[in-house]
Amino acid sequence: MKNCTVFTFTLFFLLLFGATLHAQNIWYVNHAAQGNNLGTSPADAFVNLDLALSAALDSDTIKVAVGTYRPAQMLPNGTIARDNSFYITKGIVLMGGYNADFNERNIYLNTTNLDGDLGANGSTVDNSYHVIVIDATGKSAIIDGFTIQNGNADAT
């Protein structure tokens, strides 16, 4: 009888809280991808990281191919938004250093850059204030295999 009670309680607990669980997804990002921009496979990789960050749920993994990625650069009126950042609000795993086919990860050969140089190349006056902002309170976000460069927090 005791085993039946434990089983019933476990089943109830899983039914009650199981709705919040989801399978861990893997999302793909490759700035040179030619597919459908769905992020669900290497062939249909997202072409920018912002889309993957929006699509990912807690505990998902985002794999990013070699290249340079910048946060969304323009406001609807055509001006540069220096407060644009890669905004992470979920407990995700963000991994750079993949080749274009995602069959090899080597952070030294497949340099993956997150770059705040939004406007005129080489000028810092129009760079993003913060390249990455992490606001994942109570969650663990892992960022691995990236060079983060050219942020310019020169304003208050």
Side-chain angles (χ1 to χ4, degrees), residues 42-63:
D44 290 326
F46 287 125
V47 294
N48 72 55
L49 181 56
D50 293 307
L51 292 173
L53 292 172
S54 294
L57 301 174
D58 283 329
S59 75
D60 282 357
T61 296
I62 300 172
K63 296 181 176 183

Side-chain angles (χ1 to χ4, degrees), residues 103-117:
N103 59 12
E104 176 186 65
R105 182 169 190 250
N106 184 324
I107 63 173
Y108 303 106
L109 293 177
N110 304 314
T111 305
T112 310
N113 303 306
L114 303 181
D115 194 342
D117 193 356

Side-chain angles (χ1 to χ4, degrees), residues 67-83:
T68 298
Y69 299 85
R70 293 178 176 88
Q73 297 179 26
M74 296 293 211
L75 294 173
N77 66 3
T79 60
I80 294 171
R82 291 192 63 203
D83 57 350

Side-chain angles (χ1 to χ4, degrees), residues 2 45 48 62 76 99 111 144 149:
K2 184 176 180 182
N48 72 55
I62 300 172
N99 66 353
T111 305
D144 184 56
Q149 60 192 21

Side-chain angles (χ1 to χ4, degrees), residues 4-21:
C4 183
T5 304
V6 170
F7 175 75
T8 304
F9 177 75
T10 304
L11 182 60
F12 172 76
F13 184 80
L14 288 173
L15 290 173
L16 181 65
F17 295 104
T20 62
L21 301 175

